Amino acid sequence: MSITVFPNGFDSWQKTHFEVVEALCYLRDIEEPQLQKSFSEMLNRSATDSMYQLARELTDKFEEATKGQLRDRTLFEEIEEFVAREIKERAGQ
């Protein structure tokens, strides 16, 4: 596992990580009803290792991209937009 650098300090990274996970869950809740799933798949909503890694990568990327910037909106609003854009770009790859 790579070593995380905290360009804005650990407290900022921890807040960002929490909001990234919230945004990923929010986006999953929006997308999930459109997908056909079995009953057992619907019951098992726990994250996978790839989701944990994605949350960490997005947290690190957001922290680096916003280093030293002041916020215009709430942290969640900025992260929600950032996560949605990143997911869309990754889906297009």
Side-chain angles (χ1 to χ4, degrees), residues 37-86:
K37 290 191 172 193
S38 70
F39 183 70
S40 62
E41 288 174 318
M42 290 299 284
L43 289 176
N44 183 12
R45 298 189 75 207
S46 55
T48 62
D49 285 341
S50 60
M51 285 296 286
Y52 296 139
Q53 184 61 34
L54 175 62
R56 185 175 178 160
E57 287 172 11
L58 293 177
T59 300
D60 290 345
K61 188 171 183 176
F62 182 86
E63 281 288 291
E64 189 61 42
T66 60
K67 184 177 176 179
Q69 292 181 358
L70 298 176
R71 303 202 191 293
D72 302 358
R73 302 173 291 164
T74 67
L75 181 61
F76 182 76
E77 289 171 330
E78 290 187 15
I79 290 175
E80 180 185 17
E81 182 179 294
F82 170 80
V83 169
R85 185 175 57 246
E86 286 291 319

Side-chain angles (χ1 to χ4, degrees), residues 8-23:
N8 302 310
F10 177 75
D11 287 344
S12 177
W13 188 93
Q14 183 182 27
K15 288 175 189 175
T16 297
H17 188 261
F18 177 85
E19 297 297 349
V20 164
V21 171
E22 285 284 308

